[in-house]
Amino acid sequence: MSHLAYQPPGPAVELEADYVVVGSGAGGAMAAVTLARGGAKVVVVEAGPWRDPEDYPSTAYAGLRDLFDDWGTLITSGRAFWPVVQGRAVGGTTVINSAICVRTPGDIFESWKKDHGIDGLADSVWRYQDQIERELSVEEVPERARGHSNRLAIIGAEKVGYESHVMRRYVKHCQGEGQCLQGCRGRRKQSTNITYIPEVQRLGGQILSCAPVERVRIEGRTAVGVEGRFVHPATKKKGARYFVRATKAVLVAASAVHTPLILMRSGVKSPALGEHFRSHPGTGVFGLFDDPVDMNIGATQGWASTAFRENPGLKLETLAIPPEMVASRLAGGGAELTRRLSRYRHMAMWVHAVRAESVGSVRPGLFGKPVVRYSFNRRDMERLRKGLHIVAQTHIAAGAKAVVPGIFGLPYELKADEIDKILEASLEPRNYVAVLSHLFGGAVMGADPARSVVDGTGKVHGYERLYVADAAALPTTLGVNPQHTIMGVAATFAEGLLSAQGQKPKPRASTPAAA
Amino acid sequence: MEAMLPAEAGLPGVADCAPDLFITRISKEACGRLWWGMVAAGFAFQLLPVVVVGIPLPAFLLSARARDRYAFKLSTHRSYLIRQVAFIAKFAAGLCWGGHDSVREALALPPYATDPGTWRAS
């Protein structure tokens, strides 16, 4: 059977493959399909269920329930409680993100070489990124799907005078349904659950879903497989145990939060394990326009700017959010909050992600749940505040009558001549609402085993047949959306494994799910 | 939840959006961290009027006007932890309110389709 979902309590399930890949998101799926194309027998083990576009929820409520890890309730333990958001389903976060495709900037590879002793990845990662762009039909958001909010942002950036562009995404013929965050029911978004994971199946691989991994089984210093227990996706009841033996290697690609925890539970010893956790925390500003913007019509995210990537270290984007989420994002309560929400149609949410230098950690907490310790330092807070000001300027330039900065201590609304007040706002993190959605590190790569968990091939220092192939291995932030980099690095690591066996990945098996 | 988003400005309030059904549903479906966070925030909401608006009564005994003032002050309080109580209450209220057909109609949004709640079983 090529897909095994929840199995009720009973005899343990035992499987064997050349490679076991833990996780089916950007990193896991890419590593798995690369290995499968090289002729290897692959088993992918995913904690969440496999939901096809017909299974995707419509409401934000069910989106959190069905597709987000723990309903999106993981928050940072630090100075402020900021949510840490990631997907939990076959396809991982690629199911719930906006599928934004940005190639890895060259300076990232230079910094990995200079600061972490990792060399030789650039050519391979870029070559794979070329291939992925072709395979996943990367295209600019088409004119018909741009929506008013994205068009206004283009106008605003032009008037302020910085470079911006229509996003390129792994989305085929977007219809602008504004449902990226709940999964694209129209099959336009090329998330890995409808592209690379089915290809792994076609090439003879197997998928275990509803199967969170408890640990990698390590004998001596050699990984021999993974073990865990099926969990029912609705009732959360535990089912049968399973063990998947890997005759060649185990690749862990369960996210920057879960990969370090799985390695810890497996007994991996490394002073860097769980350390060097990094992120691009994001926050935003609502613009209030005279005419309806209807931000939920059109691509959820369709506009971006990388003009401030190096200085001060920001990425700007549009982001349409449904009224369910706007309610908790706006200040105030009671009748005043309802009055504020009554202007929902006139609101446009534009955001920025901070290329932060702050570093945190991931540890197991109560009942084994992850604890992410992370706080912004002063320089990052200055970047965050500066970004809010740039976004506010853009709104005003685009014609907004006022902005809602969402900073505690400032007035709820700021008119055009008041937006410089943002630059004087307190730098206390608790006065801001931010979300961590781009996550890095926790099992970072590097040449020095004292400061890193894996080497430049993804292999865990000091262990045999054990690899990390996802964002957990990335030793720095990127300043751009990470999916493309994660995929390129994961494919490179997988190709390295094949090469060591004298194998090579062949071209794709057949076309992925078409729109 | 109802105090956080009452009917106003031509929009329905949480009370118009079947909150009892919502609570029953989320109590069964939510992860422990969310459900117990909501329960704790609910208790704190009832107990904090004395701290936030100086009235030594639980929130459910406040007049409608006083409760509305309290809901606003709670969510704009200078204490971060108190604001977090309001945040959780607003998060739950928003999920109940924003997905309801009557609210979506008022905001010129199409009604949501039914959530299938399904997955590949094999």
Side-chain angles (χ1 to χ4, degrees):
Chain A
M1 185 174 289
S2 64
H3 172 224
L4 205 56
Y6 171 77
Q7 298 295 303
V13 173
E14 296 209 8
L15 299 170
E16 184 173 299
D18 296 331
Y19 299 96
V20 180
V21 179
V22 180
S24 61
M30 197 65 224
V33 81
T34 306
L35 292 166
R37 287 173 181 175
K41 170 80 190 298
V42 181
V43 172
V44 177
V45 186
E46 165 58 49
W50 192 337
R51 296 185 200 269
D52 291 306
E54 306 79 60
D55 302 313
Y56 289 164
S58 295
T59 64
Y61 172 95
L64 293 170
R65 180 193 65 190
D66 293 349
L67 299 174
F68 282 68
D69 192 16
D70 256 355
W71 285 68
T73 59
L74 177 62
I75 51 173
T76 54
S77 343
R79 182 75 191 152
F81 306 137
W82 289 349
V84 182
V85 178
Q86 52 189 347
R88 188 181 180 92
V90 171
T93 301
T94 70
V95 179
I96 57 163
N97 68 11
S98 290
I100 300 163
C101 174
V102 187
R103 294 167 71 83
T104 314
D107 59 82
I108 293 299
F109 296 112
E110 287 165 22
S111 115
W112 290 357
K113 181 179 177 183
K114 178 169 161 274
D115 301 329
H116 303 277
I118 298 298
D119 196 9
L121 288 179
D123 288 345
S124 173
V125 168
W126 283 330
R127 177 170 48 82
Y128 271 109
Q129 289 179 340
D130 284 339
Q131 177 183 320
I132 294 162
E133 288 175 32
R134 286 192 303 273
E135 292 175 350
L136 299 189
S137 309
V138 170
E139 62 182 30
E140 272 192 358
V141 178
E143 176 63 36
R144 66 174 180 281
R146 284 182 194 168
H148 200 34
S149 177
N150 295 315
R151 291 192 189 102
L152 283 170
I154 293 169
I155 294 167
E158 270 175 16
K159 287 191 176 170
V160 175
Y162 62 85
E163 175 281 333
S164 78
H165 53 270
V166 175
M167 275 181 185
R168 295 175 74 240
R169 303 175 307 158
Y170 318 95
V171 180
K172 195 172 181 179
H173 311 321
C174 178
Q175 297 296 303
E177 291 169 7
Q179 287 273 304
C180 290
L181 307 184
Q182 285 110 299
C184 182
R185 291 164 67 99
R187 286 185 175 265
R188 308 290 171 177
K189 180 163 65 175
Q190 303 296 295
S191 43
T192 58
N193 59 324
I194 65 167
T195 53
Y196 290 139
I197 293 297
E199 186 180 339
V200 172
Q201 280 187 302
R202 288 196 295 275
L203 291 167
Q206 289 178 294
I207 318 300
L208 265 60
S209 65
C210 315
V213 167
E214 290 173 0
R215 64 185 63 82
V216 179
R217 192 182 288 179
I218 297 173
E219 293 176 358
R221 287 257 169 178
T222 303
V224 297
V226 303
E227 59 189 49
R229 200 163 178 183
F230 290 95
V231 174
H232 192 279
T235 65
K236 308 301 174 200
K237 283 185 180 161
K238 290 193 173 176
R241 295 199 64 80
Y242 68 83
F243 172 62
V244 187
R245 181 173 296 280
T247 57
K248 291 182 178 165
V250 172
L251 291 83
V252 185
S255 82
V257 170
H258 289 291
T259 290
L261 292 192
I262 289 171
L263 294 179
M264 285 177 200
R265 289 199 297 269
S266 308
V268 169
K269 303 291 179 204
S270 165
L273 188 55
E275 303 297 327
H276 311 297
F277 174 86
R278 294 170 187 267
S279 178
H280 292 157
T283 188
V285 175
F286 288 103
L288 296 173
F289 291 80
D290 279 345
D291 295 326
V293 176
D294 291 326
M295 63 175 156
N296 272 86
I297 298 174
T300 303
Q301 297 196 266
W303 167 88
S305 173
T306 51
F308 304 100
R309 179 178 170 271
E310 289 182 18
N311 184 23
L314 303 167
K315 167 122 196 280
L316 312 189
E317 296 171 348
T318 45
L319 174 64
I321 54 176
E324 292 95 310
M325 298 299 156
V326 177
S328 52
R329 181 65 179 74
L330 297 181
E336 180 59 28
L337 178 59
T338 315
R339 278 194 289 277
R340 291 172 178 178
L341 282 162
S342 71
R343 297 163 77 184
Y344 176 77
R345 293 191 65 199
H346 297 257
M347 292 177 176
M349 172 53 118
W350 301 345
V351 300
H352 70 281
V354 179
R355 187 183 179 188
E357 61 185 63
S358 302
V359 179
S361 66
V362 181
R363 292 277 184 278
L366 207 57
F367 308 118
K369 296 279 187 187
V371 174
V372 176
R373 292 197 174 86
Y374 187 79
S375 288
F376 252 21
N377 65 25
R378 186 180 174 84
R379 283 190 297 274
D380 284 334
M381 283 307 304
E382 286 171 348
R383 291 185 179 100
L384 185 87
R385 186 177 65 179
K386 176 71 178 164
L388 288 170
H389 185 254
I390 295 169
V391 175
Q393 277 183 312
T394 311
H395 274 302
I396 296 296
K401 295 302 174 204
V403 297
V404 178
I407 304 172
F408 182 76
L410 287 189
Y412 170 74
E413 273 181 44
L414 297 174
K415 301 272 188 296
D417 59 353
E418 297 174 318
I419 60 170
D420 288 348
K421 286 182 181 173
I422 293 171
L423 295 173
E424 293 155 18
S426 156
L427 291 174
E428 165 59 55
R430 292 178 168 187
N431 291 350
Y432 297 78
V433 179
V435 175
L436 279 65
S437 56
H438 300 167
L439 314 175
F440 310 90
V444 298
M445 60 180 158
D448 179 2
R451 294 196 304 130
S452 60
V453 177
V454 304
D455 65 19
T457 68
K459 180 178 161 298
V460 177
H461 290 301
Y463 291 81
E464 298 304 317
R465 299 196 204 167
L466 181 58
Y467 291 77
V468 171
D470 70 353
L474 305 186
T476 63
T477 56
L478 305 172
V480 295
N481 309 68
Q483 181 174 335
H484 217 30
T485 300
I486 295 167
M487 287 180 140
V489 168
T492 300
F493 289 171
E495 186 183 309
L497 281 165
L498 289 173
S499 298
Q501 305 283 329
Q503 296 167 304
K504 203 176 165 189
K506 296 182 182 71
R508 85 190 308 178
S510 63
T511 52
Chain B
M1 282 184 359
E2 293 177 25
M4 276 297 169
L5 276 172
E8 177 73 17
L11 282 175
V14 167
D16 307 308
C17 300
D20 293 345
L21 281 176
F22 173 82
I23 290 291
T24 303
R25 184 182 175 201
I26 201 168
S27 69
K28 291 176 183 162
E29 297 181 343
C31 64
R33 188 157 41 200
L34 176 58
W35 174 244
W36 290 111
M38 283 175 56
V39 170
F43 274 111
F45 183 85
Q46 292 302 331
L47 298 174
L48 284 172
V50 66
V51 177
V52 175
V53 288
I55 303 174
L57 289 173
F60 70 89
L61 289 179
L62 298 178
S63 67
R65 190 172 167 185
R67 194 160 54 237
D68 189 58
R69 182 167 156 264
Y70 165 60
F72 186 83
K73 293 268 185 190
L74 186 84
S75 59
T76 54
H77 198 271
R78 63 192 167 88
S79 160
Y80 184 64
L81 287 178
I82 289 177
R83 290 205 303 279
Q84 293 310 299
V85 169
F87 177 85
I88 295 170
K90 287 198 294 186
F91 178 74
L95 281 180
C96 173
W97 177 86
H100 199 267
D101 287 354
S102 61
V103 174
R104 291 183 63 81
E105 185 182 356
L107 297 174
L109 293 166
Y112 278 130
T114 305
D115 292 316
T118 51
W119 62 90
R120 272 196 206 190
S122 63

